[in-house]
Amino acid sequence: MELTVFGNNATCPEADGACACYLVEAAGKKILLDMGNGSLTKLRKKIDLAELDLIVISHLHFDHFGDLFCAKYHLETRKAYGEDIPPIPLLIPALPQWAETELCTNDVFEVHTITDGFRFEAGDVKLEFVEMVHLIESYGVRITAEGKTLAYSGDTGICKGLYTVSAGADAFLCEATFADGKAEEGHHLSAQTAAATARDAGNSHLFLTHYHPDQSRMLLTAAMRFFPDTVLTQMEETYHL
Ligand SMILES: [Zn+2]
């Protein structure tokens, strides 16, 4: 299983950066987790969007799904010019009417609505969703293939789902919006909480994401007190699990 990072900025893309976007390649499948603002400019250097086997959107904040709309325009234009591109399965929380109007036309996506406990299989890759606590409906996901499990937190505050999604996973891709504990109860996590969770969940690897680059040294120092092998994800870097 390979994890490549095409966006790791919290909230707003930095200059030459991008918000949440991760490509998971396993068992011959290409699975994209989130498509935040700025991520398409990075992702398209590596793959043709039509190659994606599955797109997962954790929640409907624009730093996690803003670029999905441009991806849709790109794919529907190619289809209109005669290219045969089968609908790409899209796993996403329930859409408001305006977003449904934008995304659910021209057979670009095959939409499946995520709920707590929702499961999906893409070939030999199994996905299971866990509801988290955030400002809006938000999901974490466990992805299992090739004998490995990768857990992704999405955006979350401290909640029961955080422990459910990470328990026993080989690797945990976890948000670390804060360098200290402020506001993390129902909103986002600190690097310390991400690292303590990985330690308690028995994870072998912790990848911190959704962070503010100007805090990176502080985040890493804080996390390493709980989880010494913490990795601060880097843009366009591939990690082998
Ligand atoms: Zn969010």
Side-chain angles (χ1 to χ4, degrees), residues 59 61 63-64 134 136 138 155 188 210:
H59 68 295
H61 275 155
D63 57 332
H64 290 257
H134 191 45
I136 59 169
S138 185
D155 277 5
H188 283 299
H210 200 280

Side-chain angles (χ1 to χ4, degrees), residues 29-47:
K29 299 293 182 187
K30 289 182 167 61
I31 298 169
L32 198 69
L33 303 179
D34 283 335
M35 205 178 261
N37 288 88
S39 60
L40 275 184
T41 61
K42 312 294 178 190
L43 183 63
R44 294 187 67 197
K45 288 197 272 183
K46 163 93 175 180
I47 62 163

Side-chain angles (χ1 to χ4, degrees), residues 83-113:
E83 206 171 328
D84 182 22
I85 304 173
I88 300 171
L90 169 65
L91 315 186
I92 191 165
L95 293 166
Q97 187 59 55
W98 69 266
E100 194 174 317
T101 303
E102 285 288 325
L103 295 172
C104 301
T105 51
N106 296 327
D107 291 326
V108 173
F109 301 125
E110 173 195 299
V111 177
H112 300 262
T113 302

